[in-house]
Amino acid sequence: MDAQGRGRADNIDPADQWVLNPNTGEYELRLTPSAPQSGVPRPRRGSPANAGPGAGAGTRARRAPERESPAKPGPDVPGPRRRRGAPAEPPPGRRKGRTQPKKSKAKKILLWTGGSMAFVLVAVSAAGYLYLKHLEGNVSTTDVGSAGKKGFSKDEAFNILIIGTDKRTGAGNEGYGDAGSVGHADTNILLHVSKDRTNATALSIPRDLIVDVPDCPTKQSDGTTKVIPGTQNVRFNTSLGQDGRDPGCTMRTVKAVTGIPVDHFMMADFNAVKTLTSAVGGVDVCVAHAVNDKESHLKLPAGKSTVKGEQALAFVRTRHSFGNQGDLDRIKVQQQFLGSLMRKMASGDTLSNPAKLFSLAEAATKALTVDTGIGKVSTLKDVALELKRVPTKNITFTTVPVLDNPAEKVKATVVVNQSQAPAVFDAIKSDVSFTAVKQKEKKEKAEVAARLKGTRSAAADIRVDVYNGGAPAGSAQETLNWLQNTEGVLKSSQLGNADATLSKTTLEYSPDQADQARKLADLMGLSASALKPGKSEKNSQGLPAIVLTLGKDFKGAGVSLTTPTKAPEVDKSTADKTVCAS
């Protein structure tokens, strides 16, 4: 019985009998055990290869009239057949030309199967494209103008401000937040992801931190820009919503307080916690003692629990059952929750489950409002993949160091602790990890630090060209005057603006100018990472000169630019560990 006949008898699709051999990468015809097994497709019926007892048994093929052949076939071998009306084949040795062999049934099946697979792939690709466009329509965006970056780079460190608002939208949220809230910045986390993706820092900013909110240009619905005046000595949470402020105002406030530029923002309201936790099947949390909070309606037994939906929202909003019932202790609970959510989203249980992935994609895109710089689904995917590269053990959660507001008798707000906070801000700006990094990175940092080891030339021997690569206007001339008049670097020139904008000041030099570079680094207060071994350039006299390019980090002539190499000790937790809220 041939493959087609057996397909009818056993109700098997012919395409199902072709199976991919993982050892060879080829499709092979697999017959049932009752039929002879063959590694090659069976010939067409009526060909000599089908000769033998029972060769045609079970088929419904009709025998065509046969013609004698000069050859002497055996008594059981049928002669060649031709289709009705087809010209007779010439005898052997008298053929006018080679005839094209007909495709075997096996090849037809393979072509049919391959064609179907190609169609499926095209259909899936088209469906995937349409689904991405559908997700694109879910995402809400806000143009924050110059407060953030226009695009996302996978090759740089990045800072994303995660904002949770207290705005009540959607059914079921009547019991939470201020009924008349315009959507203040209730929860705020500045997420810094290192350039080498070995670590990340999630810095929580208390909503009750007293700050000065700067003037804020905001895009209006008619396309115009309105500048909302800043306010002084107010709560941080008023940087959003108050007087029509958008997330760009919150981004500007973060930079004013910390000195850390914010590249992008992601904002979510109460519904986001519900939908995201439901999409991943719940988030594991832990409490040191049983909780029955009348304000948030959270009820949990002591120990570990899994929360989602309304219960998850109640968990992150509860404060009266933890610590001193203030916002700072609630921040620690929210950090624990976010770490657990990160672990769940990155787990194999989520990533290997198509239903969860689709549900998560829908929930995330509908829940988030982002800046136009990352407003495309493809860009959000890139952001997620870059964050996924960071080991959870090196994702640090900490909070801006604060003190009780000394101006208040009844303590309700806090202020920045100026003796501790600047070191934390500088570490983040300098891309320094708050956790131990791999030995490889330590070795690379040691190699960079070695650039400052060696002899120094005299200041009078330094030949340098100064460029402005992102510093305030006039910085290059200011630096030139300082070098010549204060430090005795007389062989210096100011050559205007650099071709590119740099985030950090750099000093490029050739190997034979290393002693000059080290001396200038001492004078400028440059760290080893600012030194870039490379090539020098010819100055106006045609002599080789090292190149000093002032970046955005430039603080003024004579002000040290040395960056920290080690993060300060802080109260922290990491995303890989579960800490029970107490």
Side-chain angles (χ1 to χ4, degrees), residues 20 37 117 127-128 154 293 307 320 338 349 407 421 447 472 485 517 550:
L20 179 66
Q37 299 297 306
M117 291 175 64
K154 293 188 283 188
D293 195 288
V307 297
H320 294 289
L338 185 57
D349 180 54
E447 291 174 352
N485 300 326
L550 306 177

Side-chain angles (χ1 to χ4, degrees), residues 31-154:
L31 304 180
T32 58
S34 60
Q37 299 297 306
S38 173
V40 296
R42 297 182 58 159
R44 291 170 55 86
R45 282 174 290 172
S47 66
N50 275 338
T59 67
R60 293 182 294 177
R62 293 181 299 173
R63 290 183 179 273
E66 297 178 358
R67 176 171 61 83
E68 289 292 330
S69 170
K72 292 183 179 181
D76 297 327
V77 179
R81 296 184 299 166
R82 61 184 177 88
R83 290 178 296 171
R84 183 181 300 171
E89 269 192 24
R94 296 179 58 186
R95 297 188 180 186
K96 296 181 179 179
R98 298 182 64 184
T99 58
Q100 188 71 22
K102 296 179 182 179
K103 294 174 180 175
S104 69
K105 184 169 296 178
K107 288 184 178 179
K108 285 183 178 179
I109 293 173
L110 183 55
L111 289 174
W112 179 86
T113 307
S116 299
M117 291 175 64
F119 175 80
V120 170
L121 288 174
V122 171
V124 169
S125 298
Y129 172 78
L130 293 175
Y131 186 66
L132 284 177
K133 297 304 290 184
H134 160 71
L135 292 178
E136 204 89 38
N138 289 347
V139 181
S140 299
T141 60
T142 298
D143 186 353
V144 296
S146 61
K149 288 186 175 180
K150 298 300 182 185
F152 175 74
S153 173
K154 293 188 283 188

Side-chain angles (χ1 to χ4, degrees), residues 162-166 184-189 240 266-269:
I162 301 171
I163 306 172
T165 75
D166 59 358
H184 292 120
D186 194 53
T187 299
N188 309 276
I189 297 176
L240 178 68
M266 293 181 178
M267 182 172 67
D269 59 15

Side-chain angles (χ1 to χ4, degrees), residues 224-414:
T224 61
T225 299
K226 176 184 177 182
V227 177
I228 300 176
T231 51
Q232 288 71 47
N233 203 36
V234 294
R235 278 181 166 88
F236 180 89
N237 67 344
T238 61
S239 63
L240 178 68
Q242 197 82 5
D243 301 323
R245 293 185 175 117
D246 66 9
C249 301
T250 309
M251 294 167 70
R252 295 175 192 275
T253 304
V254 170
K255 184 177 180 181
V257 173
T258 66
I260 303 170
V262 183
D263 303 319
H264 306 285
F265 84 87
M266 293 181 178
M267 182 172 67
D269 59 15
F270 291 156
N271 283 323
V273 178
K274 296 181 184 180
T275 56
L276 287 174
T277 54
S278 297
V280 297
V283 173
D284 298 331
V285 297
C286 180
V287 292
H289 53 79
V291 175
N292 186 1
D293 195 288
K294 296 180 180 179
E295 297 290 333
S296 67
H297 312 294
L298 177 68
K299 293 183 179 180
L300 286 178
K304 295 182 179 180
S305 299
T306 300
V307 297
K308 64 180 179 179
E310 289 286 348
Q311 196 177 31
L313 178 58
F315 183 82
V316 297
R317 290 200 51 79
T318 295
R319 65 174 179 177
H320 294 289
S321 296
F322 301 125
N324 61 6
Q325 304 186 16
D327 189 51
L328 294 179
D329 287 294
R330 180 168 63 173
I331 284 175
K332 294 180 180 179
V333 174
Q334 292 171 345
Q335 290 172 346
Q336 172 203 334
F337 177 86
L338 185 57
S340 183
L341 179 59
M342 285 181 173
R343 293 193 298 273
K344 190 60 177 286
M345 292 174 69
S347 69
D349 180 54
T350 299
L351 296 178
S352 63
N353 188 323
K356 281 188 178 182
L357 285 176
F358 275 91
S359 180
L360 183 59
E362 288 285 349
T365 51
K366 287 180 180 178
L368 295 176
T369 298
V370 301
D371 60 281
T372 52
I374 55 173
K376 292 185 177 181
V377 171
S378 58
T379 308
L380 289 173
K381 177 205 68 175
D382 289 341
V383 173
L385 290 177
E386 292 304 303
L387 181 57
K388 187 176 181 296
R389 292 173 57 190
V390 182
T392 54
K393 66 178 182 179
N394 287 339
I395 300 178
T396 301
F397 290 98
T398 190
T399 304
V400 173
V402 295
L403 298 170
D404 287 334
N405 189 349
E408 295 176 336
K409 291 184 178 180
V410 178
K411 305 304 180 184
T413 61
V414 293

